[in-house]
Amino acid sequence: AFGADVTMWYGSRETAWIAAECSQEKRLHVNHVQHVLEVDADGRMLVTDLLSGAMPLVRYAIGDCAVLGDTPCPCGDPRPVIQSLEGRLQDVLLLPSGMRIPGVILTRRGLSQVAPGIFETQYIQDAPDRLDVYYVPAPHFRPEHATALLADIKGLTRGELEIVGHEATALRREPNGKIRYAICNVQHADVLGGDR
């Protein structure tokens, strides 16, 4: 309407402006004057606020996942770059082989292509060799949609987990009212048979 480019700004209530989009390359440049931004092995973003005197936040797990860029932006700006924002934090599922499946991968599976009759899903791992998949049917649900979803997840987990489907009217909510779409209640040592 105004003939101006739209650029993205990323931040939070706790830490304010974290990154802003480059007008040339459309990458997110980190506000490194105010923040030290890290991403751990599970993709969780950790923010240290360098300017907050009232309530210092050190390696604050903001609840989002991201991938940091490993090369400078071609625009010439030397600030660190967020390559991509991967969504909200989900637990990481553990396979018996030791392989880890980030929950964000499960929750971003294309339900519209794989199982168009399923409205939403929740993945809960309570045992090292089993994954319970709770799904809420959409109005046009057919049984083959559930079959396709479970087969897709079986392939994603390389057949290492027993995949058990459960039709549900609603997904389980946390005490704060939010839904965690991928939940792992298994410790790494449980999967590998001891500490390694």
Side-chain angles (χ1 to χ4, degrees), residues 9-19 35-40 43-49 57-66 82 85 87-90 178:
W9 178 93
Y10 174 73
S12 74
R13 289 180 186 270
E14 299 91 343
T15 60
W17 166 42
I18 294 174
H35 301 105
V36 174
L37 184 62
E38 303 168 79
V39 174
D40 73 6
R44 296 181 305 166
M45 200 180 311
L46 306 173
V47 182
T48 298
D49 190 327
L57 296 172
V58 178
R59 304 194 81 220
Y60 174 64
I62 197 167
D64 288 342
C65 294
I82 297 175
L85 294 170
R88 295 296 291 168
L89 177 66
Q90 307 291 335
K178 295 184 179 181

PDB file of all heavy atoms in Angstrom, residues 9-19 35-40 43-49 57-66 82 85 87-90 178:
ATOM      1  N   TRP A   9      11.607  -8.202  11.803  1.00  0.00           N
ATOM      2  CA  TRP A   9      12.295  -7.866  13.041  1.00  0.00           C
ATOM      3  C   TRP A   9      12.012  -9.001  14.008  1.00  0.00           C
ATOM      4  O   TRP A   9      10.872  -9.449  14.116  1.00  0.00           O
ATOM      5  CB  TRP A   9      11.730  -6.542  13.555  1.00  0.00           C
ATOM      6  CG  TRP A   9      12.281  -6.038  14.844  1.00  0.00           C
ATOM      7  CD1 TRP A   9      13.321  -5.180  14.998  1.00  0.00           C
ATOM      8  CD2 TRP A   9      11.791  -6.316  16.166  1.00  0.00           C
ATOM      9  NE1 TRP A   9      13.523  -4.912  16.330  1.00  0.00           N
ATOM     10  CE2 TRP A   9      12.593  -5.605  17.069  1.00  0.00           C
ATOM     11  CE3 TRP A   9      10.763  -7.104  16.678  1.00  0.00           C
ATOM     12  CZ2 TRP A   9      12.407  -5.657  18.441  1.00  0.00           C
ATOM     13  CZ3 TRP A   9      10.579  -7.164  18.040  1.00  0.00           C
ATOM     14  CH2 TRP A   9      11.393  -6.442  18.902  1.00  0.00           C
ATOM     15  N   TYR A  10      13.030  -9.512  14.694  1.00  0.00           N
ATOM     16  CA  TYR A  10      12.846 -10.642  15.617  1.00  0.00           C
ATOM     17  C   TYR A  10      13.276 -10.234  17.010  1.00  0.00           C
ATOM     18  O   TYR A  10      14.352  -9.653  17.195  1.00  0.00           O
ATOM     19  CB  TYR A  10      13.660 -11.856  15.141  1.00  0.00           C
ATOM     20  CG  TYR A  10      13.634 -12.997  16.117  1.00  0.00           C
ATOM     21  CD1 TYR A  10      12.490 -13.770  16.284  1.00  0.00           C
ATOM     22  CD2 TYR A  10      14.747 -13.292  16.888  1.00  0.00           C
ATOM     23  CE1 TYR A  10      12.452 -14.810  17.196  1.00  0.00           C
ATOM     24  CE2 TYR A  10      14.726 -14.328  17.794  1.00  0.00           C
ATOM     25  CZ  TYR A  10      13.576 -15.083  17.950  1.00  0.00           C
ATOM     26  OH  TYR A  10      13.539 -16.097  18.856  1.00  0.00           O
ATOM     27  N   GLY A  11      12.457 -10.536  18.000  1.00  0.00           N
ATOM     28  CA  GLY A  11      12.793 -10.213  19.382  1.00  0.00           C
ATOM     29  C   GLY A  11      11.838 -10.888  20.345  1.00  0.00           C
ATOM     30  O   GLY A  11      11.061 -11.763  19.964  1.00  0.00           O
ATOM     31  N   SER A  12      11.907 -10.485  21.605  1.00  0.00           N
ATOM     32  CA  SER A  12      11.031 -11.042  22.636  1.00  0.00           C
ATOM     33  C   SER A  12      10.767  -9.981  23.694  1.00  0.00           C
ATOM     34  O   SER A  12      11.464  -8.970  23.767  1.00  0.00           O
ATOM     35  CB  SER A  12      11.683 -12.268  23.290  1.00  0.00           C
ATOM     36  OG  SER A  12      12.734 -11.864  24.150  1.00  0.00           O
ATOM     37  N   ARG A  13       9.776 -10.238  24.515  1.00  0.00           N
ATOM     38  CA  ARG A  13       9.466  -9.302  25.601  1.00  0.00           C
ATOM     39  C   ARG A  13      10.636  -9.195  26.576  1.00  0.00           C
ATOM     40  O   ARG A  13      10.939  -8.131  27.090  1.00  0.00           O
ATOM     41  CB  ARG A  13       8.227  -9.761  26.364  1.00  0.00           C
ATOM     42  CG  ARG A  13       6.941  -9.619  25.599  1.00  0.00           C
ATOM     43  CD  ARG A  13       5.767 -10.102  26.446  1.00  0.00           C
ATOM     44  NE  ARG A  13       4.547 -10.108  25.674  1.00  0.00           N
ATOM     45  CZ  ARG A  13       3.708  -9.080  25.588  1.00  0.00           C
ATOM     46  NH1 ARG A  13       3.980  -7.964  26.213  1.00  0.00           N
ATOM     47  NH2 ARG A  13       2.614  -9.169  24.876  1.00  0.00           N
ATOM     48  N   GLU A  14      11.304 -10.335  26.838  1.00  0.00           N
ATOM     49  CA  GLU A  14      12.375 -10.343  27.833  1.00  0.00           C
ATOM     50  C   GLU A  14      13.645  -9.652  27.346  1.00  0.00           C
ATOM     51  O   GLU A  14      14.369  -9.057  28.135  1.00  0.00           O
ATOM     52  CB  GLU A  14      12.728 -11.793  28.226  1.00  0.00           C
ATOM     53  CG  GLU A  14      11.600 -12.577  28.832  1.00  0.00           C
ATOM     54  CD  GLU A  14      10.793 -13.356  27.796  1.00  0.00           C
ATOM     55  OE1 GLU A  14      10.885 -13.051  26.590  1.00  0.00           O
ATOM     56  OE2 GLU A  14      10.068 -14.274  28.189  1.00  0.00           O
ATOM     57  N   THR A  15      13.918  -9.771  26.050  1.00  0.00           N
ATOM     58  CA  THR A  15      15.213  -9.303  25.557  1.00  0.00           C
ATOM     59  C   THR A  15      15.116  -8.221  24.479  1.00  0.00           C
ATOM     60  O   THR A  15      16.139  -7.762  23.991  1.00  0.00           O
ATOM     61  CB  THR A  15      16.016 -10.482  24.976  1.00  0.00           C
ATOM     62  OG1 THR A  15      15.276 -11.057  23.891  1.00  0.00           O
ATOM     63  CG2 THR A  15      16.278 -11.540  26.029  1.00  0.00           C
ATOM     64  N   ALA A  16      13.915  -7.823  24.105  1.00  0.00           N
ATOM     65  CA  ALA A  16      13.689  -6.803  23.079  1.00  0.00           C
ATOM     66  C   ALA A  16      14.274  -7.256  21.733  1.00  0.00           C
ATOM     67  O   ALA A  16      14.205  -8.429  21.389  1.00  0.00           O
ATOM     68  CB  ALA A  16      14.238  -5.461  23.530  1.00  0.00           C
ATOM     69  N   TRP A  17      14.889  -6.309  20.989  1.00  0.00           N
ATOM     70  CA  TRP A  17      15.351  -6.574  19.635  1.00  0.00           C
ATOM     71  C   TRP A  17      16.550  -7.516  19.640  1.00  0.00           C
ATOM     72  O   TRP A  17      17.598  -7.210  20.182  1.00  0.00           O
ATOM     73  CB  TRP A  17      15.705  -5.246  18.969  1.00  0.00           C
ATOM     74  CG  TRP A  17      16.503  -5.350  17.716  1.00  0.00           C
ATOM     75  CD1 TRP A  17      16.323  -6.243  16.703  1.00  0.00           C
ATOM     76  CD2 TRP A  17      17.616  -4.538  17.343  1.00  0.00           C
ATOM     77  NE1 TRP A  17      17.250  -6.029  15.711  1.00  0.00           N
ATOM     78  CE2 TRP A  17      18.055  -4.992  16.081  1.00  0.00           C
ATOM     79  CE3 TRP A  17      18.276  -3.474  17.941  1.00  0.00           C
ATOM     80  CZ2 TRP A  17      19.126  -4.413  15.414  1.00  0.00           C
ATOM     81  CZ3 TRP A  17      19.337  -2.908  17.274  1.00  0.00           C
ATOM     82  CH2 TRP A  17      19.750  -3.374  16.029  1.00  0.00           C
ATOM     83  N   ILE A  18      16.387  -8.687  19.000  1.00  0.00           N
ATOM     84  CA  ILE A  18      17.456  -9.672  18.896  1.00  0.00           C
ATOM     85  C   ILE A  18      18.117  -9.608  17.521  1.00  0.00           C
ATOM     86  O   ILE A  18      19.334  -9.658  17.403  1.00  0.00           O
ATOM     87  CB  ILE A  18      16.939 -11.100  19.182  1.00  0.00           C
ATOM     88  CG1 ILE A  18      16.485 -11.202  20.645  1.00  0.00           C
ATOM     89  CG2 ILE A  18      17.994 -12.151  18.869  1.00  0.00           C
ATOM     90  CD1 ILE A  18      15.826 -12.514  20.995  1.00  0.00           C
ATOM     91  N   ALA A  19      17.310  -9.486  16.475  1.00  0.00           N
ATOM     92  CA  ALA A  19      17.855  -9.462  15.117  1.00  0.00           C
ATOM     93  C   ALA A  19      16.899  -8.736  14.184  1.00  0.00           C
ATOM     94  O   ALA A  19      15.698  -8.668  14.444  1.00  0.00           O
ATOM     95  CB  ALA A  19      18.102 -10.886  14.613  1.00  0.00           C
ATOM     96  N   HIS A  35      23.270  -8.280  22.549  1.00  0.00           N
ATOM     97  CA  HIS A  35      23.103  -9.715  22.830  1.00  0.00           C
ATOM     98  C   HIS A  35      24.285 -10.554  22.379  1.00  0.00           C
ATOM     99  O   HIS A  35      24.920 -10.257  21.374  1.00  0.00           O
ATOM    100  CB  HIS A  35      21.855 -10.250  22.114  1.00  0.00           C
ATOM    101  CG  HIS A  35      20.602  -9.575  22.510  1.00  0.00           C
ATOM    102  ND1 HIS A  35      19.974  -8.660  21.708  1.00  0.00           N
ATOM    103  CD2 HIS A  35      19.861  -9.649  23.637  1.00  0.00           C
ATOM    104  CE1 HIS A  35      18.892  -8.209  22.305  1.00  0.00           C
ATOM    105  NE2 HIS A  35      18.801  -8.787  23.485  1.00  0.00           N
ATOM    106  N   VAL A  36      24.505 -11.619  23.124  1.00  0.00           N
ATOM    107  CA  VAL A  36      25.315 -12.732  22.651  1.00  0.00           C
ATOM    108  C   VAL A  36      24.311 -13.841  22.369  1.00  0.00           C
ATOM    109  O   VAL A  36      23.534 -14.232  23.247  1.00  0.00           O
ATOM    110  CB  VAL A  36      26.345 -13.200  23.710  1.00  0.00           C
ATOM    111  CG1 VAL A  36      27.055 -14.458  23.236  1.00  0.00           C
ATOM    112  CG2 VAL A  36      27.331 -12.088  24.007  1.00  0.00           C
ATOM    113  N   LEU A  37      24.288 -14.311  21.143  1.00  0.00           N
ATOM    114  CA  LEU A  37      23.325 -15.327  20.730  1.00  0.00           C
ATOM    115  C   LEU A  37      24.056 -16.630  20.437  1.00  0.00           C
ATOM    116  O   LEU A  37      25.009 -16.658  19.666  1.00  0.00           O
ATOM    117  CB  LEU A  37      22.575 -14.849  19.486  1.00  0.00           C
ATOM    118  CG  LEU A  37      21.453 -15.745  18.979  1.00  0.00           C
ATOM    119  CD1 LEU A  37      20.351 -15.876  20.022  1.00  0.00           C
ATOM    120  CD2 LEU A  37      20.884 -15.188  17.684  1.00  0.00           C
ATOM    121  N   GLU A  38      23.593 -17.714  21.079  1.00  0.00           N
ATOM    122  CA  GLU A  38      24.160 -19.040  20.855  1.00  0.00           C
ATOM    123  C   GLU A  38      23.046 -19.993  20.482  1.00  0.00           C
ATOM    124  O   GLU A  38      21.883 -19.767  20.810  1.00  0.00           O
ATOM    125  CB  GLU A  38      24.829 -19.558  22.131  1.00  0.00           C
ATOM    126  CG  GLU A  38      25.912 -18.664  22.696  1.00  0.00           C
ATOM    127  CD  GLU A  38      26.309 -19.116  24.095  1.00  0.00           C
ATOM    128  OE1 GLU A  38      27.073 -20.095  24.200  1.00  0.00           O
ATOM    129  OE2 GLU A  38      25.840 -18.483  25.065  1.00  0.00           O
ATOM    130  N   VAL A  39      23.395 -21.092  19.816  1.00  0.00           N
ATOM    131  CA  VAL A  39      22.457 -22.168  19.518  1.00  0.00           C
ATOM    132  C   VAL A  39      23.109 -23.459  19.969  1.00  0.00           C
ATOM    133  O   VAL A  39      24.238 -23.764  19.562  1.00  0.00           O
ATOM    134  CB  VAL A  39      22.108 -22.220  18.019  1.00  0.00           C
ATOM    135  CG1 VAL A  39      21.255 -23.437  17.709  1.00  0.00           C
ATOM    136  CG2 VAL A  39      21.377 -20.942  17.601  1.00  0.00           C
ATOM    137  N   ASP A  40      22.429 -24.215  20.844  1.00  0.00           N
ATOM    138  CA  ASP A  40      23.036 -25.450  21.349  1.00  0.00           C
ATOM    139  C   ASP A  40      22.843 -26.596  20.364  1.00  0.00           C
ATOM    140  O   ASP A  40      22.283 -26.424  19.284  1.00  0.00           O
ATOM    141  CB  ASP A  40      22.523 -25.779  22.756  1.00  0.00           C
ATOM    142  CG  ASP A  40      21.090 -26.278  22.787  1.00  0.00           C
ATOM    143  OD1 ASP A  40      20.479 -26.490  21.713  1.00  0.00           O
ATOM    144  OD2 ASP A  40      20.554 -26.476  23.890  1.00  0.00           O
ATOM    145  N   GLY A  43      19.515 -27.223  18.802  1.00  0.00           N
ATOM    146  CA  GLY A  43      18.917 -26.137  18.050  1.00  0.00           C
ATOM    147  C   GLY A  43      18.270 -25.060  18.898  1.00  0.00           C
ATOM    148  O   GLY A  43      17.703 -24.107  18.373  1.00  0.00           O
ATOM    149  N   ARG A  44      18.373 -25.183  20.230  1.00  0.00           N
ATOM    150  CA  ARG A  44      17.750 -24.195  21.118  1.00  0.00           C
ATOM    151  C   ARG A  44      18.547 -22.907  21.132  1.00  0.00           C
ATOM    152  O   ARG A  44      19.761 -22.909  21.267  1.00  0.00           O
ATOM    153  CB  ARG A  44      17.660 -24.739  22.550  1.00  0.00           C
ATOM    154  CG  ARG A  44      16.760 -25.949  22.693  1.00  0.00           C
ATOM    155  CD  ARG A  44      16.704 -26.412  24.122  1.00  0.00           C
ATOM    156  NE  ARG A  44      18.048 -26.673  24.636  1.00  0.00           N
ATOM    157  CZ  ARG A  44      18.333 -26.824  25.919  1.00  0.00           C
ATOM    158  NH1 ARG A  44      17.390 -26.730  26.826  1.00  0.00           N
ATOM    159  NH2 ARG A  44      19.567 -27.075  26.308  1.00  0.00           N
ATOM    160  N   MET A  45      17.843 -21.805  21.011  1.00  0.00           N
ATOM    161  CA  MET A  45      18.478 -20.496  21.031  1.00  0.00           C
ATOM    162  C   MET A  45      18.706 -20.048  22.470  1.00  0.00           C
ATOM    163  O   MET A  45      17.795 -20.099  23.297  1.00  0.00           O
ATOM    164  CB  MET A  45      17.577 -19.494  20.303  1.00  0.00           C
ATOM    165  CG  MET A  45      18.299 -18.261  19.855  1.00  0.00           C
ATOM    166  SD  MET A  45      17.221 -17.083  19.001  1.00  0.00           S
ATOM    167  CE  MET A  45      16.388 -18.095  17.813  1.00  0.00           C
ATOM    168  N   LEU A  46      19.935 -19.606  22.774  1.00  0.00           N
ATOM    169  CA  LEU A  46      20.304 -19.112  24.097  1.00  0.00           C
ATOM    170  C   LEU A  46      20.735 -17.659  23.956  1.00  0.00           C
ATOM    171  O   LEU A  46      21.636 -17.355  23.172  1.00  0.00           O
ATOM    172  CB  LEU A  46      21.435 -19.947  24.690  1.00  0.00           C
ATOM    173  CG  LEU A  46      21.203 -21.460  24.759  1.00  0.00           C
ATOM    174  CD1 LEU A  46      22.458 -22.180  25.207  1.00  0.00           C
ATOM    175  CD2 LEU A  46      20.035 -21.787  25.667  1.00  0.00           C
ATOM    176  N   VAL A  47      20.092 -16.767  24.707  1.00  0.00           N
ATOM    177  CA  VAL A  47      20.343 -15.336  24.569  1.00  0.00           C
ATOM    178  C   VAL A  47      20.917 -14.785  25.870  1.00  0.00           C
ATOM    179  O   VAL A  47      20.361 -14.999  26.949  1.00  0.00           O
ATOM    180  CB  VAL A  47      19.041 -14.577  24.235  1.00  0.00           C
ATOM    181  CG1 VAL A  47      19.321 -13.094  24.050  1.00  0.00           C
ATOM    182  CG2 VAL A  47      18.378 -15.153  22.994  1.00  0.00           C
ATOM    183  N   THR A  48      22.033 -14.083  25.765  1.00  0.00           N
ATOM    184  CA  THR A  48      22.593 -13.343  26.887  1.00  0.00           C
ATOM    185  C   THR A  48      22.421 -11.858  26.586  1.00  0.00           C
ATOM    186  O   THR A  48      22.911 -11.369  25.568  1.00  0.00           O
ATOM    187  CB  THR A  48      24.088 -13.671  27.092  1.00  0.00           C
ATOM    188  OG1 THR A  48      24.217 -15.064  27.400  1.00  0.00           O
ATOM    189  CG2 THR A  48      24.670 -12.856  28.238  1.00  0.00           C
ATOM    190  N   ASP A  49      21.693 -11.171  27.468  1.00  0.00           N
ATOM    191  CA  ASP A  49      21.430  -9.742  27.296  1.00  0.00           C
ATOM    192  C   ASP A  49      22.542  -8.959  27.991  1.00  0.00           C
ATOM    193  O   ASP A  49      22.724  -9.070  29.206  1.00  0.00           O
ATOM    194  CB  ASP A  49      20.068  -9.405  27.894  1.00  0.00           C
ATOM    195  CG  ASP A  49      19.610  -8.010  27.544  1.00  0.00           C
ATOM    196  OD1 ASP A  49      20.465  -7.117  27.411  1.00  0.00           O
ATOM    197  OD2 ASP A  49      18.392  -7.803  27.418  1.00  0.00           O
ATOM    198  N   LEU A  57      20.037 -11.574  32.060  1.00  0.00           N
ATOM    199  CA  LEU A  57      19.680 -12.880  31.510  1.00  0.00           C
ATOM    200  C   LEU A  57      20.919 -13.451  30.842  1.00  0.00           C
ATOM    201  O   LEU A  57      21.428 -12.875  29.875  1.00  0.00           O
ATOM    202  CB  LEU A  57      18.541 -12.754  30.494  1.00  0.00           C
ATOM    203  CG  LEU A  57      17.204 -12.250  31.046  1.00  0.00           C
ATOM    204  CD1 LEU A  57      16.221 -11.995  29.912  1.00  0.00           C
ATOM    205  CD2 LEU A  57      16.627 -13.246  32.035  1.00  0.00           C
ATOM    206  N   VAL A  58      21.405 -14.562  31.373  1.00  0.00           N
ATOM    207  CA  VAL A  58      22.616 -15.190  30.858  1.00  0.00           C
ATOM    208  C   VAL A  58      22.265 -16.556  30.286  1.00  0.00           C
ATOM    209  O   VAL A  58      21.724 -17.408  30.989  1.00  0.00           O
ATOM    210  CB  VAL A  58      23.687 -15.336  31.966  1.00  0.00           C
ATOM    211  CG1 VAL A  58      24.929 -16.031  31.422  1.00  0.00           C
ATOM    212  CG2 VAL A  58      24.031 -13.974  32.540  1.00  0.00           C
ATOM    213  N   ARG A  59      22.527 -16.737  28.982  1.00  0.00           N
ATOM    214  CA  ARG A  59      22.210 -17.977  28.261  1.00  0.00           C
ATOM    215  C   ARG A  59      20.751 -18.366  28.494  1.00  0.00           C
ATOM    216  O   ARG A  59      20.418 -19.511  28.760  1.00  0.00           O
ATOM    217  CB  ARG A  59      23.162 -19.100  28.645  1.00  0.00           C
ATOM    218  CG  ARG A  59      24.624 -18.727  28.421  1.00  0.00           C
ATOM    219  CD  ARG A  59      25.551 -19.914  28.471  1.00  0.00           C
ATOM    220  NE  ARG A  59      25.515 -20.583  27.175  1.00  0.00           N
ATOM    221  CZ  ARG A  59      25.511 -21.920  27.046  1.00  0.00           C
ATOM    222  NH1 ARG A  59      25.513 -22.688  28.085  1.00  0.00           N
ATOM    223  NH2 ARG A  59      25.482 -22.456  25.844  1.00  0.00           N
ATOM    224  N   TYR A  60      19.894 -17.386  28.347  1.00  0.00           N
ATOM    225  CA  TYR A  60      18.458 -17.555  28.551  1.00  0.00           C
ATOM    226  C   TYR A  60      17.865 -18.368  27.405  1.00  0.00           C
ATOM    227  O   TYR A  60      17.989 -18.005  26.231  1.00  0.00           O
ATOM    228  CB  TYR A  60      17.798 -16.174  28.643  1.00  0.00           C
ATOM    229  CG  TYR A  60      16.297 -16.183  28.708  1.00  0.00           C
ATOM    230  CD1 TYR A  60      15.635 -16.763  29.780  1.00  0.00           C
ATOM    231  CD2 TYR A  60      15.545 -15.587  27.708  1.00  0.00           C
ATOM    232  CE1 TYR A  60      14.252 -16.758  29.842  1.00  0.00           C
ATOM    233  CE2 TYR A  60      14.163 -15.576  27.773  1.00  0.00           C
ATOM    234  CZ  TYR A  60      13.527 -16.163  28.841  1.00  0.00           C
ATOM    235  OH  TYR A  60      12.158 -16.157  28.890  1.00  0.00           O
ATOM    236  N   ALA A  61      17.241 -19.484  27.740  1.00  0.00           N
ATOM    237  CA  ALA A  61      16.591 -20.337  26.731  1.00  0.00           C
ATOM    238  C   ALA A  61      15.250 -19.703  26.381  1.00  0.00           C
ATOM    239  O   ALA A  61      14.274 -19.816  27.111  1.00  0.00           O
ATOM    240  CB  ALA A  61      16.411 -21.749  27.273  1.00  0.00           C
ATOM    241  N   ILE A  62      15.217 -19.045  25.250  1.00  0.00           N
ATOM    242  CA  ILE A  62      14.075 -18.220  24.875  1.00  0.00           C
ATOM    243  C   ILE A  62      12.865 -19.047  24.437  1.00  0.00           C
ATOM    244  O   ILE A  62      11.753 -18.549  24.362  1.00  0.00           O
ATOM    245  CB  ILE A  62      14.512 -17.223  23.777  1.00  0.00           C
ATOM    246  CG1 ILE A  62      13.534 -16.085  23.648  1.00  0.00           C
ATOM    247  CG2 ILE A  62      14.747 -17.907  22.459  1.00  0.00           C
ATOM    248  CD1 ILE A  62      14.054 -14.947  22.819  1.00  0.00           C
ATOM    249  N   GLY A  63      13.101 -20.331  24.112  1.00  0.00           N
ATOM    250  CA  GLY A  63      11.994 -21.197  23.703  1.00  0.00           C
ATOM    251  C   GLY A  63      11.858 -21.341  22.207  1.00  0.00           C
ATOM    252  O   GLY A  63      10.943 -21.993  21.724  1.00  0.00           O
ATOM    253  N   ASP A  64      12.792 -20.753  21.449  1.00  0.00           N
ATOM    254  CA  ASP A  64      12.785 -20.870  19.998  1.00  0.00           C
ATOM    255  C   ASP A  64      13.999 -21.673  19.542  1.00  0.00           C
ATOM    256  O   ASP A  64      15.003 -21.762  20.249  1.00  0.00           O
ATOM    257  CB  ASP A  64      12.837 -19.490  19.332  1.00  0.00           C
ATOM    258  CG  ASP A  64      11.529 -18.724  19.468  1.00  0.00           C
ATOM    259  OD1 ASP A  64      10.495 -19.361  19.753  1.00  0.00           O
ATOM    260  OD2 ASP A  64      11.548 -17.503  19.299  1.00  0.00           O
ATOM    261  N   CYS A  65      13.894 -22.224  18.339  1.00  0.00           N
ATOM    262  CA  CYS A  65      15.009 -22.943  17.728  1.00  0.00           C
ATOM    263  C   CYS A  65      15.487 -22.162  16.507  1.00  0.00           C
ATOM    264  O   CYS A  65      14.686 -21.521  15.824  1.00  0.00           O
ATOM    265  CB  CYS A  65      14.570 -24.334  17.290  1.00  0.00           C
ATOM    266  SG  CYS A  65      14.137 -25.419  18.661  1.00  0.00           S
ATOM    267  N   ALA A  66      16.782 -22.217  16.247  1.00  0.00           N
ATOM    268  CA  ALA A  66      17.346 -21.481  15.114  1.00  0.00           C
ATOM    269  C   ALA A  66      18.598 -22.173  14.610  1.00  0.00           C
ATOM    270  O   ALA A  66      19.158 -23.047  15.268  1.00  0.00           O
ATOM    271  CB  ALA A  66      17.675 -20.047  15.529  1.00  0.00           C
ATOM    272  N   ILE A  82      21.500 -14.989  11.699  1.00  0.00           N
ATOM    273  CA  ILE A  82      20.621 -16.139  11.910  1.00  0.00           C
ATOM    274  C   ILE A  82      20.239 -16.638  10.522  1.00  0.00           C
ATOM    275  O   ILE A  82      19.604 -15.920   9.752  1.00  0.00           O
ATOM    276  CB  ILE A  82      19.363 -15.759  12.710  1.00  0.00           C
ATOM    277  CG1 ILE A  82      19.741 -15.267  14.111  1.00  0.00           C
ATOM    278  CG2 ILE A  82      18.414 -16.959  12.802  1.00  0.00           C
ATOM    279  CD1 ILE A  82      18.556 -14.764  14.924  1.00  0.00           C
ATOM    280  N   LEU A  85      15.040 -19.317  11.343  1.00  0.00           N
ATOM    281  CA  LEU A  85      14.290 -19.551  12.569  1.00  0.00           C
ATOM    282  C   LEU A  85      13.491 -20.823  12.360  1.00  0.00           C
ATOM    283  O   LEU A  85      12.737 -20.931  11.396  1.00  0.00           O
ATOM    284  CB  LEU A  85      13.357 -18.373  12.872  1.00  0.00           C
ATOM    285  CG  LEU A  85      14.055 -17.059  13.215  1.00  0.00           C
ATOM    286  CD1 LEU A  85      13.045 -15.917  13.263  1.00  0.00           C
ATOM    287  CD2 LEU A  85      14.782 -17.172  14.548  1.00  0.00           C
ATOM    288  N   GLY A  87      11.300 -22.337  14.514  1.00  0.00           N
ATOM    289  CA  GLY A  87      10.051 -22.494  15.247  1.00  0.00           C
ATOM    290  C   GLY A  87      10.270 -22.639  16.739  1.00  0.00           C
ATOM    291  O   GLY A  87      11.372 -22.442  17.259  1.00  0.00           O
ATOM    292  N   ARG A  88       9.197 -22.976  17.429  1.00  0.00           N
ATOM    293  CA  ARG A  88       9.236 -23.109  18.876  1.00  0.00           C
ATOM    294  C   ARG A  88       9.945 -24.396  19.272  1.00  0.00           C
ATOM    295  O   ARG A  88       9.977 -25.378  18.532  1.00  0.00           O
ATOM    296  CB  ARG A  88       7.824 -23.106  19.471  1.00  0.00           C
ATOM    297  CG  ARG A  88       7.095 -21.800  19.284  1.00  0.00           C
ATOM    298  CD  ARG A  88       7.755 -20.664  20.018  1.00  0.00           C
ATOM    299  NE  ARG A  88       7.642 -20.794  21.447  1.00  0.00           N
ATOM    300  CZ  ARG A  88       8.301 -20.076  22.329  1.00  0.00           C
ATOM    301  NH1 ARG A  88       9.174 -19.176  21.927  1.00  0.00           N
ATOM    302  NH2 ARG A  88       8.136 -20.248  23.606  1.00  0.00           N
ATOM    303  N   LEU A  89      10.494 -24.370  20.475  1.00  0.00           N
ATOM    304  CA  LEU A  89      11.235 -25.504  20.999  1.00  0.00           C
ATOM    305  C   LEU A  89      10.343 -26.726  21.166  1.00  0.00           C
ATOM    306  O   LEU A  89       9.243 -26.642  21.681  1.00  0.00           O
ATOM    307  CB  LEU A  89      11.833 -25.126  22.364  1.00  0.00           C
ATOM    308  CG  LEU A  89      12.590 -26.222  23.103  1.00  0.00           C
ATOM    309  CD1 LEU A  89      13.841 -26.593  22.335  1.00  0.00           C
ATOM    310  CD2 LEU A  89      12.940 -25.759  24.495  1.00  0.00           C
ATOM    311  N   GLN A  90      10.823 -27.841  20.704  1.00  0.00           N
ATOM    312  CA  GLN A  90      10.180 -29.134  20.917  1.00  0.00           C
ATOM    313  C   GLN A  90      11.247 -30.060  21.507  1.00  0.00           C
ATOM    314  O   GLN A  90      12.435 -29.867  21.270  1.00  0.00           O
ATOM    315  CB  GLN A  90       9.661 -29.719  19.608  1.00  0.00           C
ATOM    316  CG  GLN A  90       8.771 -28.793  18.804  1.00  0.00           C
ATOM    317  CD  GLN A  90       7.434 -28.544  19.449  1.00  0.00           C
ATOM    318  OE1 GLN A  90       6.957 -29.353  20.221  1.00  0.00           O
ATOM    319  NE2 GLN A  90       6.837 -27.408  19.162  1.00  0.00           N
ATOM    320  N   LYS A 178      -0.561 -24.376  27.498  1.00  0.00           N
ATOM    321  CA  LYS A 178       0.049 -24.543  26.181  1.00  0.00           C
ATOM    322  C   LYS A 178       0.197 -26.020  25.835  1.00  0.00           C
ATOM    323  O   LYS A 178       0.213 -26.876  26.708  1.00  0.00           O
ATOM    324  CB  LYS A 178       1.406 -23.849  26.129  1.00  0.00           C
ATOM    325  CG  LYS A 178       1.309 -22.341  26.270  1.00  0.00           C
ATOM    326  CD  LYS A 178       2.667 -21.692  26.125  1.00  0.00           C
ATOM    327  CE  LYS A 178       2.545 -20.176  26.237  1.00  0.00           C
ATOM    328  NZ  LYS A 178       3.849 -19.512  26.073  1.00  0.00           N
TER     329      LYS A 178
END
